[in-house]
Coordinates of all heavy atoms in Angstrom, one line a residue:
M1 N 0.8 -1.2 0.0 CA 0.0 0.0 0.0 C 0.9 1.2 0.0 O 1.8 1.3 0.8 CB -0.9 0.0 1.2 CG -2.0 1.0 1.1 SD -3.2 0.9 2.5 CE -3.9 -0.7 2.3
L2 N 0.6 2.2 -0.9 CA 1.5 3.4 -1.0 C 1.2 4.4 0.1 O 2.1 5.1 0.6 CB 1.2 4.0 -2.4 CG 1.6 3.2 -3.6 CD1 1.3 3.9 -4.9 CD2 3.1 2.9 -3.5
T3 N -0.1 4.6 0.4 CA -0.5 5.6 1.4 C -1.4 4.9 2.5 O -2.0 3.9 2.2 CB -1.2 6.7 0.8 OG1 -2.4 6.2 0.1 CG2 -0.4 7.5 -0.2
P4 N -1.4 5.5 3.7 CA -2.3 4.9 4.7 C -3.8 5.1 4.2 O -4.1 6.1 3.5 CB -2.1 5.8 5.9 CG -0.9 6.6 5.7 CD -0.6 6.6 4.2
P5 N -4.6 4.1 4.4 CA -6.0 4.3 3.9 C -6.7 5.4 4.6 O -6.5 5.8 5.7 CB -6.7 2.9 4.3 CG -5.7 2.3 5.3 CD -4.4 2.9 5.1
T6 N -7.6 6.0 3.8 CA -8.4 7.1 4.3 C -9.5 6.6 5.3 O -10.1 5.6 4.9 CB -9.1 7.8 3.1 OG1 -8.1 8.3 2.3 CG2 -9.9 9.0 3.6
P7 N -9.7 7.2 6.4 CA -10.8 6.7 7.3 C -12.1 6.8 6.6 O -12.3 7.6 5.8 CB -10.7 7.7 8.5 CG -9.4 8.4 8.4 CD -8.9 8.3 7.0
A8 N -13.0 5.8 6.9 CA -14.3 5.7 6.2 C -15.0 7.0 6.2 O -15.6 7.3 5.2 CB -15.1 4.6 6.9
A9 N -15.0 7.8 7.3 CA -15.7 9.1 7.3 C -15.2 10.1 6.3 O -15.9 11.0 5.9 CB -15.7 9.6 8.7
N10 N -14.0 9.9 5.9 CA -13.3 10.9 5.0 C -13.2 10.4 3.5 O -12.6 11.0 2.7 CB -12.0 11.3 5.5 CG -12.0 12.0 6.8 OD1 -13.0 12.7 7.1 ND2 -11.0 11.8 7.6
R11 N -13.7 9.2 3.2 CA -13.6 8.6 1.9 C -14.5 9.4 1.0 O -15.6 9.8 1.3 CB -14.1 7.2 1.9 CG -13.0 6.3 2.5 CD -13.4 4.8 2.3 NE -12.3 4.1 3.1 CZ -12.6 3.0 3.8 NH1 -13.8 2.6 3.9 NH2 -11.6 2.4 4.4
L12 N -14.0 9.7 -0.2 CA -14.7 10.5 -1.2 C -15.2 9.5 -2.3 O -14.5 8.5 -2.6 CB -13.8 11.5 -1.8 CG -13.3 12.6 -0.9 CD1 -12.2 13.5 -1.5 CD2 -14.4 13.4 -0.3
R13 N -16.3 9.9 -3.0 CA -16.7 9.2 -4.2 C -16.3 10.1 -5.3 O -16.7 11.3 -5.5 CB -18.3 9.1 -4.2 CG -18.7 8.1 -3.1 CD -20.3 8.0 -3.0 NE -20.9 7.8 -4.3 CZ -21.1 6.6 -4.9 NH1 -20.7 5.5 -4.3 NH2 -21.7 6.5 -6.1
I14 N -15.4 9.6 -6.1 CA -14.7 10.3 -7.2 C -15.0 9.8 -8.5 O -14.8 8.6 -8.8 CB -13.2 10.3 -6.9 CG1 -12.8 10.9 -5.6 CG2 -12.5 11.1 -8.1 CD1 -11.4 10.8 -5.1
L15 N -15.5 10.6 -9.4 CA -15.8 10.2 -10.8 C -14.6 10.6 -11.6 O -14.1 11.7 -11.6 CB -17.0 11.0 -11.3 CG -17.3 10.8 -12.8 CD1 -17.7 9.4 -13.1 CD2 -18.3 11.8 -13.3
I16 N -14.1 9.6 -12.4 CA -13.0 9.8 -13.4 C -13.7 9.7 -14.7 O -14.1 8.7 -15.2 CB -11.9 8.8 -13.3 CG1 -11.2 8.9 -11.9 CG2 -10.8 9.1 -14.4 CD1 -10.2 7.7 -11.6
A17 N -13.8 10.9 -15.4 CA -14.4 10.9 -16.8 C -13.3 11.2 -17.8 O -12.8 12.3 -17.9 CB -15.4 12.0 -16.8
D18 N -12.8 10.1 -18.4 CA -11.7 10.2 -19.4 C -11.8 9.1 -20.4 O -12.2 7.9 -20.0 CB -10.4 10.1 -18.6 CG -9.2 10.6 -19.4 OD1 -9.1 10.2 -20.6 OD2 -8.4 11.3 -18.8
D19 N -11.6 9.4 -21.7 CA -11.7 8.3 -22.7 C -10.3 7.6 -22.9 O -10.3 6.7 -23.7 CB -12.1 8.9 -24.0 CG -11.3 10.1 -24.5 OD1 -10.4 10.5 -23.8 OD2 -11.7 10.7 -25.5
D20 N -9.3 7.9 -22.1 CA -8.0 7.2 -22.2 C -8.0 6.2 -21.1 O -7.9 6.5 -19.9 CB -6.9 8.2 -22.0 CG -5.5 7.6 -22.0 OD1 -5.4 6.4 -22.0 OD2 -4.5 8.4 -22.2
P21 N -8.0 4.9 -21.4 CA -8.1 3.9 -20.4 C -6.8 3.8 -19.5 O -6.9 3.6 -18.3 CB -8.2 2.6 -21.2 CG -8.0 2.9 -22.6 CD -8.1 4.4 -22.8
S22 N -5.7 4.2 -20.1 CA -4.4 4.2 -19.3 C -4.5 5.2 -18.2 O -4.1 4.9 -17.0 CB -3.2 4.4 -20.2 OG -3.1 3.4 -21.1
L23 N -5.0 6.4 -18.5 CA -5.1 7.4 -17.5 C -6.1 7.1 -16.4 O -5.9 7.3 -15.2 CB -5.4 8.8 -18.1 CG -5.3 10.0 -17.2 CD1 -4.0 10.1 -16.4 CD2 -5.6 11.2 -17.9
R24 N -7.3 6.5 -16.9 CA -8.3 6.1 -15.9 C -7.8 5.1 -14.9 O -8.0 5.2 -13.7 CB -9.5 5.6 -16.6 CG -10.5 6.6 -17.1 CD -11.9 6.0 -17.5 NE -11.8 4.6 -18.0 CZ -11.7 4.3 -19.3 NH1 -11.5 5.3 -20.2 NH2 -11.7 3.1 -19.7
I25 N -7.1 4.1 -15.4 CA -6.5 3.1 -14.6 C -5.5 3.6 -13.6 O -5.6 3.3 -12.4 CB -5.9 1.9 -15.4 CG1 -7.0 1.2 -16.2 CG2 -5.1 1.0 -14.6 CD1 -6.5 0.2 -17.3
A26 N -4.6 4.5 -14.1 CA -3.6 5.0 -13.2 C -4.2 5.9 -12.1 O -3.9 5.7 -10.9 CB -2.6 5.9 -14.0
L27 N -5.2 6.7 -12.4 CA -5.9 7.5 -11.4 C -6.7 6.7 -10.5 O -6.6 6.9 -9.2 CB -6.8 8.5 -12.1 CG -6.1 9.7 -12.8 CD1 -7.2 10.5 -13.6 CD2 -5.5 10.6 -11.8
R28 N -7.4 5.7 -11.0 CA -8.2 4.8 -10.1 C -7.3 4.1 -9.1 O -7.6 4.0 -7.9 CB -8.9 3.7 -11.0 CG -9.8 2.9 -10.1 CD -10.5 1.8 -10.9 NE -9.5 0.8 -11.2 CZ -9.4 0.1 -12.4 NH1 -10.2 0.4 -13.3 NH2 -8.5 -0.8 -12.6
L29 N -6.1 3.5 -9.6 CA -5.3 2.8 -8.7 C -4.8 3.7 -7.5 O -4.8 3.3 -6.3 CB -4.1 2.2 -9.4 CG -4.4 1.1 -10.4 CD1 -3.2 0.7 -11.2 CD2 -5.0 -0.1 -9.6
V30 N -4.4 4.9 -7.8 CA -3.9 5.8 -6.8 C -5.0 6.2 -5.8 O -4.8 6.2 -4.6 CB -3.3 7.1 -7.5 CG1 -3.0 8.2 -6.4 CG2 -2.0 6.7 -8.2
L31 N -6.2 6.5 -6.4 CA -7.3 7.0 -5.5 C -7.8 5.9 -4.7 O -8.2 6.0 -3.5 CB -8.4 7.6 -6.4 CG -7.9 8.9 -7.1 CD1 -9.0 9.3 -8.1 CD2 -7.8 10.0 -6.0
E32 N -8.0 4.7 -5.3 CA -8.4 3.5 -4.5 C -7.4 3.1 -3.4 O -7.8 2.8 -2.3 CB -8.8 2.3 -5.4 CG -10.0 2.5 -6.1 CD -10.4 1.4 -7.1 OE1 -9.5 0.5 -7.3 OE2 -11.6 1.3 -7.5
D33 N -6.1 3.2 -3.7 CA -5.1 2.9 -2.7 C -5.2 3.9 -1.6 O -4.9 3.5 -0.4 CB -3.7 3.0 -3.4 CG -2.6 2.6 -2.4 OD1 -2.7 1.4 -2.0 OD2 -1.7 3.4 -2.2
A34 N -5.6 5.1 -1.8 CA -5.8 6.1 -0.7 C -7.1 5.9 0.0 O -7.4 6.6 0.9 CB -5.8 7.5 -1.3
G35 N -7.9 4.9 -0.4 CA -9.2 4.5 0.3 C -10.4 5.1 -0.3 O -11.5 5.0 0.3
H36 N -10.4 5.8 -1.4 CA -11.6 6.4 -2.0 C -12.3 5.5 -2.9 O -11.8 4.5 -3.4 CB -11.2 7.7 -2.8 CG -10.5 8.7 -1.9 ND1 -11.1 9.3 -0.8 CD2 -9.2 9.2 -1.9 CE1 -10.3 10.1 -0.2 NE2 -9.1 10.1 -0.8
H37 N -13.6 5.8 -3.1 CA -14.5 5.0 -4.0 C -14.4 5.7 -5.4 O -14.7 6.9 -5.5 CB -15.9 5.0 -3.5 CG -16.8 4.2 -4.3 ND1 -16.8 2.8 -4.4 CD2 -17.8 4.6 -5.2 CE1 -17.7 2.4 -5.3 NE2 -18.3 3.5 -5.8
V38 N -14.1 4.9 -6.4 CA -13.9 5.5 -7.7 C -15.0 5.0 -8.7 O -15.2 3.8 -8.7 CB -12.5 5.2 -8.3 CG1 -12.3 5.7 -9.7 CG2 -11.4 5.8 -7.4
I39 N -15.6 5.9 -9.4 CA -16.5 5.6 -10.5 C -15.9 6.1 -11.8 O -15.3 7.2 -11.8 CB -17.9 6.3 -10.2 CG1 -18.5 5.9 -8.9 CG2 -18.9 6.0 -11.4 CD1 -18.2 6.8 -7.8
E40 N -16.0 5.3 -12.8 CA -15.4 5.7 -14.1 C -16.5 5.9 -15.2 O -17.5 5.3 -15.2 CB -14.5 4.5 -14.6 CG -13.3 4.3 -13.7 CD -12.4 3.2 -14.3 OE1 -12.2 3.2 -15.5 OE2 -11.9 2.4 -13.5
A41 N -16.1 6.8 -16.1 CA -17.0 7.1 -17.3 C -16.0 7.3 -18.4 O -15.0 8.0 -18.3 CB -17.8 8.3 -17.1
T42 N -16.4 6.7 -19.6 CA -15.5 6.8 -20.7 C -15.9 7.8 -21.8 O -15.2 8.1 -22.7 CB -15.4 5.4 -21.5 OG1 -16.8 5.1 -21.9 CG2 -14.9 4.3 -20.5
A43 N -17.1 8.4 -21.5 CA -17.6 9.5 -22.5 C -18.5 10.4 -21.7 O -19.0 10.1 -20.6 CB -18.3 8.8 -23.6
E44 N -18.8 11.6 -22.3 CA -19.6 12.6 -21.7 C -21.0 12.1 -21.3 O -21.4 12.4 -20.2 CB -19.6 13.8 -22.6 CG -20.4 15.0 -22.1 CD -21.7 15.1 -22.6 OE1 -22.0 14.4 -23.7 OE2 -22.6 15.8 -22.1
P45 N -21.7 11.4 -22.2 CA -23.1 11.0 -21.8 C -23.0 10.1 -20.5 O -23.9 10.2 -19.6 CB -23.6 10.3 -23.0 CG -22.8 10.8 -24.1 CD -21.5 11.1 -23.6
E46 N -22.1 9.2 -20.5 CA -21.9 8.3 -19.4 C -21.6 9.1 -18.1 O -22.1 8.8 -17.0 CB -20.9 7.2 -19.6 CG -20.7 6.2 -18.5 CD -19.6 5.2 -18.8 OE1 -18.8 5.4 -19.8 OE2 -19.5 4.3 -18.0
A47 N -20.7 10.1 -18.2 CA -20.3 10.9 -17.1 C -21.5 11.6 -16.5 O -21.7 11.7 -15.3 CB -19.2 11.9 -17.5
R48 N -22.4 12.2 -17.4 CA -23.6 12.9 -17.0 C -24.5 11.9 -16.2 O -25.1 12.3 -15.2 CB -24.3 13.5 -18.1 CG -23.5 14.8 -18.7 CD -24.3 15.4 -19.8 NE -23.5 16.5 -20.4 CZ -23.4 17.7 -20.0 NH1 -24.1 18.1 -18.9 NH2 -22.7 18.6 -20.6
F49 N -24.6 10.7 -16.8 CA -25.5 9.7 -16.1 C -25.0 9.4 -14.7 O -25.7 9.3 -13.8 CB -25.5 8.4 -17.0 CG -26.3 7.3 -16.3 CD1 -27.7 7.3 -16.3 CD2 -25.6 6.3 -15.7 CE1 -28.3 6.2 -15.7 CE2 -26.2 5.2 -15.1 CZ -27.6 5.2 -15.1
R50 N -23.7 9.1 -14.6 CA -23.1 8.8 -13.3 C -23.2 10.0 -12.3 O -23.5 9.7 -11.1 CB -21.6 8.5 -13.5 CG -21.3 7.3 -14.3 CD -21.6 6.0 -13.6 NE -21.3 4.9 -14.5 CZ -22.0 3.8 -14.5 NH1 -23.0 3.7 -13.8 NH2 -21.7 2.8 -15.3
L51 N -23.1 11.2 -12.8 CA -23.3 12.3 -11.9 C -24.8 12.4 -11.4 O -25.0 12.8 -10.3 CB -22.9 13.6 -12.6 CG -21.4 13.8 -12.8 CD1 -21.1 14.8 -13.9 CD2 -20.8 14.2 -11.5
R52 N -25.7 12.1 -12.2 CA -27.1 12.1 -11.8 C -27.5 10.9 -10.9 O -28.3 11.0 -10.1 CB -28.0 12.1 -13.0 CG -28.2 13.4 -13.7 CD -29.3 13.4 -14.8 NE -29.1 12.3 -15.7 CZ -28.5 12.3 -16.9 NH1 -27.9 13.5 -17.3 NH2 -28.4 11.3 -17.7
E53 N -26.8 9.8 -11.2 CA -27.1 8.5 -10.6 C -26.8 8.5 -9.1 O -27.5 7.9 -8.3 CB -26.3 7.4 -11.3 CG -26.4 6.0 -10.7 CD -25.6 5.1 -11.5 OE1 -24.3 5.2 -11.6 OE2 -26.1 4.2 -12.1
G54 N -25.7 9.1 -8.7 CA -25.3 9.0 -7.3 C -24.5 10.2 -6.8 O -24.1 11.0 -7.6
R55 N -24.3 10.2 -5.5 CA -23.5 11.3 -4.9 C -22.1 11.2 -5.3 O -21.4 10.2 -5.0 CB -23.6 11.2 -3.4 CG -22.9 12.4 -2.7 CD -23.0 12.2 -1.2 NE -22.3 11.0 -0.7 CZ -21.0 10.9 -0.5 NH1 -20.2 11.9 -0.7 NH2 -20.5 9.7 0.0
I56 N -21.6 12.2 -6.0 CA -20.2 12.3 -6.4 C -19.6 13.5 -5.7 O -20.1 14.6 -5.8 CB -20.0 12.5 -7.9 CG1 -20.7 11.4 -8.7 CG2 -18.6 12.7 -8.3 CD1 -20.0 10.0 -8.6
D57 N -18.5 13.3 -5.0 CA -17.8 14.4 -4.3 C -16.9 15.2 -5.2 O -16.9 16.5 -5.1 CB -17.0 13.9 -3.1 CG -17.9 13.2 -2.1 OD1 -18.9 13.8 -1.6 OD2 -17.7 12.0 -1.8
I58 N -16.2 14.5 -6.0 CA -15.3 15.2 -7.0 C -15.4 14.5 -8.3 O -15.4 13.3 -8.4 CB -13.8 15.0 -6.4 CG1 -13.6 15.7 -5.1 CG2 -12.8 15.6 -7.5 CD1 -12.3 15.4 -4.4
A59 N -15.4 15.3 -9.4 CA -15.4 14.8 -10.7 C -14.1 15.3 -11.4 O -13.8 16.5 -11.5 CB -16.6 15.4 -11.5
L60 N -13.3 14.3 -11.8 CA -12.1 14.6 -12.6 C -12.4 14.4 -14.0 O -12.7 13.3 -14.5 CB -10.9 13.7 -12.2 CG -10.5 13.7 -10.7 CD1 -9.5 12.6 -10.4 CD2 -10.1 15.1 -10.3
I61 N -12.4 15.5 -14.8 CA -12.9 15.5 -16.2 C -11.8 15.8 -17.2 O -11.1 16.8 -17.1 CB -14.0 16.5 -16.4 CG1 -15.2 16.2 -15.4 CG2 -14.6 16.5 -17.8 CD1 -16.2 17.3 -15.2
D62 N -11.6 14.9 -18.1 CA -10.6 15.1 -19.2 C -11.0 16.2 -20.1 O -12.1 16.1 -20.7 CB -10.4 13.8 -19.9 CG -9.5 14.0 -21.1 OD1 -8.6 14.9 -21.1 OD2 -9.6 13.2 -22.1
A63 N -10.2 17.3 -20.2 CA -10.6 18.4 -21.1 C -10.9 18.0 -22.5 O -11.7 18.6 -23.2 CB -9.5 19.5 -21.0
G64 N -10.1 17.0 -23.0 CA -10.3 16.6 -24.4 C -11.1 15.4 -24.6 O -11.2 14.9 -25.7
M65 N -11.9 15.0 -23.6 CA -12.7 13.8 -23.7 C -13.7 13.9 -24.8 O -14.7 14.7 -24.7 CB -13.4 13.5 -22.4 CG -14.3 12.2 -22.4 SD -15.1 11.9 -20.9 CE -16.0 13.4 -20.5
S66 N -13.5 13.2 -25.9 CA -14.4 13.3 -27.1 C -14.9 14.7 -27.4 O -16.0 14.9 -27.9 CB -15.7 12.4 -26.7 OG -15.3 11.1 -26.4
G67 N -14.0 15.7 -27.1 CA -14.4 17.0 -27.5 C -15.4 17.7 -26.6 O -15.9 18.8 -26.8
T68 N -15.9 17.0 -25.5 CA -16.9 17.5 -24.7 C -16.6 17.7 -23.2 O -17.4 18.1 -22.4 CB -18.2 16.5 -24.7 OG1 -17.8 15.3 -24.2 CG2 -18.7 16.4 -26.1
G69 N -15.3 17.4 -22.8 CA -14.9 17.5 -21.4 C -15.1 18.9 -20.9 O -15.6 19.1 -19.8
V70 N -14.7 19.9 -21.7 CA -14.8 21.3 -21.2 C -16.3 21.7 -21.0 O -16.7 22.4 -20.1 CB -14.1 22.3 -22.2 CG1 -14.3 23.7 -21.8 CG2 -12.6 22.0 -22.2
S71 N -17.1 21.2 -22.0 CA -18.6 21.5 -21.9 C -19.2 20.9 -20.6 O -19.9 21.6 -19.9 CB -19.3 21.0 -23.1 OG -20.7 21.1 -23.0
L72 N -18.8 19.7 -20.3 CA -19.3 19.0 -19.1 C -18.9 19.8 -17.9 O -19.6 20.1 -16.9 CB -18.8 17.6 -19.0 CG -19.2 16.8 -17.8 CD1 -20.7 16.8 -17.5 CD2 -18.6 15.4 -17.9
W73 N -17.6 20.2 -17.8 CA -17.0 20.9 -16.7 C -17.8 22.3 -16.5 O -18.2 22.6 -15.4 CB -15.5 21.1 -16.9 CG -14.9 21.9 -15.8 CD1 -14.5 21.5 -14.6 CD2 -14.6 23.3 -15.8 NE1 -13.9 22.5 -13.9 CE2 -14.0 23.7 -14.6 CE3 -14.8 24.3 -16.8 CZ2 -13.6 24.9 -14.3 CZ3 -14.4 25.6 -16.5 CH2 -13.8 25.9 -15.3
S74 N -18.0 23.0 -17.6 CA -18.7 24.3 -17.6 C -20.1 24.1 -17.0 O -20.6 24.9 -16.2 CB -18.7 24.9 -19.0 OG -17.5 25.2 -19.4
D75 N -20.8 23.1 -17.5 CA -22.2 22.8 -17.0 C -22.2 22.5 -15.5 O -23.1 23.0 -14.8 CB -22.8 21.6 -17.8 CG -23.1 21.9 -19.2 OD1 -23.0 23.1 -19.6 OD2 -23.4 21.0 -20.0
L76 N -21.2 21.8 -15.0 CA -21.2 21.5 -13.6 C -20.9 22.8 -12.8 O -21.4 23.0 -11.7 CB -20.1 20.5 -13.3 CG -20.4 19.0 -13.7 CD1 -19.3 18.1 -13.4 CD2 -21.7 18.5 -13.0
Q77 N -20.0 23.6 -13.3 CA -19.7 24.9 -12.6 C -21.0 25.8 -12.5 O -21.1 26.5 -11.6 CB -18.6 25.7 -13.3 CG -17.3 24.9 -13.4 CD -16.8 24.5 -12.0 OE1 -16.6 25.3 -11.1 NE2 -16.5 23.2 -11.8
A78 N -21.8 25.7 -13.5 CA -23.0 26.6 -13.6 C -24.2 26.0 -12.8 O -25.1 26.7 -12.5 CB -23.4 26.8 -15.1
D79 N -24.1 24.7 -12.5 CA -25.2 24.0 -11.8 C -25.2 24.3 -10.3 O -24.4 23.7 -9.6 CB -25.1 22.5 -12.1 CG -26.2 21.7 -11.5 OD1 -27.1 22.3 -10.8 OD2 -26.2 20.5 -11.6
G80 N -26.1 25.1 -9.9 CA -26.2 25.5 -8.5 C -26.6 24.4 -7.6 O -26.4 24.4 -6.4
G81 N -27.2 23.3 -8.2 CA -27.7 22.2 -7.4 C -26.6 21.2 -7.1 O -26.8 20.4 -6.2
W82 N -25.5 21.2 -7.8 CA -24.5 20.2 -7.6 C -23.5 20.7 -6.6 O -22.9 21.8 -6.8 CB -23.8 19.9 -9.0 CG -22.9 18.7 -8.9 CD1 -23.3 17.4 -8.6 CD2 -21.5 18.6 -9.0 NE1 -22.2 16.5 -8.6 CE2 -21.1 17.3 -8.8 CE3 -20.5 19.6 -9.2 CZ2 -19.8 16.9 -8.9 CZ3 -19.2 19.1 -9.3 CH2 -18.8 17.8 -9.1
K83 N -23.3 20.0 -5.6 CA -22.4 20.5 -4.4 C -21.0 19.9 -4.5 O -20.2 20.3 -3.6 CB -23.1 20.1 -3.1 CG -24.5 20.6 -3.0 CD -24.5 22.2 -3.0 CE -25.9 22.7 -2.9 NZ -26.1 24.0 -3.4
G84 N -20.7 19.1 -5.5 CA -19.3 18.5 -5.5 C -18.4 19.5 -6.2 O -18.7 20.7 -6.4
R85 N -17.2 19.0 -6.4 CA -16.1 19.8 -7.0 C -15.8 19.2 -8.4 O -15.8 17.9 -8.5 CB -14.8 19.8 -6.2 CG -15.0 20.4 -4.8 CD -15.0 21.9 -4.9 NE -15.1 22.6 -3.6 CZ -16.1 23.3 -3.2 NH1 -17.1 23.5 -4.0 NH2 -16.1 23.8 -2.0
A86 N -15.6 20.0 -9.4 CA -15.2 19.5 -10.7 C -13.8 20.0 -11.1 O -13.6 21.2 -11.0 CB -16.3 19.9 -11.7
L87 N -12.9 19.1 -11.4 CA -11.6 19.5 -11.8 C -11.4 19.1 -13.3 O -11.6 18.0 -13.7 CB -10.6 18.8 -11.0 CG -10.7 19.1 -9.5 CD1 -9.7 18.2 -8.7 CD2 -10.4 20.6 -9.2
L88 N -10.9 20.0 -14.1 CA -10.6 19.8 -15.5 C -9.2 19.4 -15.6 O -8.3 20.1 -15.1 CB -10.9 21.0 -16.3 CG -11.0 20.9 -17.8 CD1 -12.2 20.0 -18.1 CD2 -11.3 22.3 -18.4
V89 N -8.9 18.2 -16.2 CA -7.5 17.7 -16.3 C -7.2 17.5 -17.7 O -8.0 17.3 -18.6 CB -7.4 16.3 -15.5 CG1 -7.6 16.5 -14.0 CG2 -8.3 15.3 -16.0
T90 N -5.9 17.5 -18.0 CA -5.4 17.3 -19.4 C -4.3 16.3 -19.3 O -3.6 16.1 -18.3 CB -4.9 18.6 -20.0 OG1 -3.8 19.1 -19.3 CG2 -5.9 19.6 -20.2
G91 N -4.0 15.6 -20.4 CA -3.0 14.5 -20.3 C -1.9 14.8 -21.2 O -1.3 15.3 -21.8

């Protein structure tokens, strides 16, 4: 184990929205090793579904994901009802 596990009360539900499987796997391994629950999406429609489906604390969104990553990130920033954090990442 690389890092001590996160106490259950501090575990985050993290969405990784990226069409690059290598990056998704690398991020998932690091985040799960830290004790967080990871949900993956390979495209913008799936990411939107996952965000509606359950409580997501943090969304890591690939800026270049099928050309729609920035649009998804912008929509989340404008959504006053969504209380999580959205981070735009590039590879």
Side-chain angles (χ1 to χ4, degrees):
M1 194 177 293
L2 298 175
T3 58
T6 302
N10 296 328
R11 288 188 183 139
L12 298 172
R13 291 178 51 87
I14 302 172
L15 172 68
I16 301 171
D18 198 312
D19 53 1
D20 179 347
S22 298
L23 186 56
R24 276 195 328 274
I25 290 167
L27 287 171
R28 184 185 72 223
L29 291 174
V30 169
L31 293 168
E32 285 180 345
D33 186 58
H36 301 294
H37 179 74
V38 175
I39 300 99
E40 296 182 38
T42 61
E44 181 261 345
E46 182 183 7
R48 288 184 188 277
F49 175 79
R50 298 284 181 218
L51 287 161
R52 283 190 307 268
E53 179 180 59
R55 182 184 63 82
I56 302 291
D57 300 302
I58 298 173
L60 302 176
I61 302 167
D62 174 25
M65 179 180 58
S66 306
T68 61
V70 174
S71 173
L72 174 58
W73 178 82
S74 295
D75 290 349
L76 288 174
Q77 298 303 307
D79 182 357
W82 192 64
K83 302 300 180 201
R85 300 283 185 243
L87 302 171
L88 197 58
V89 296
T90 61

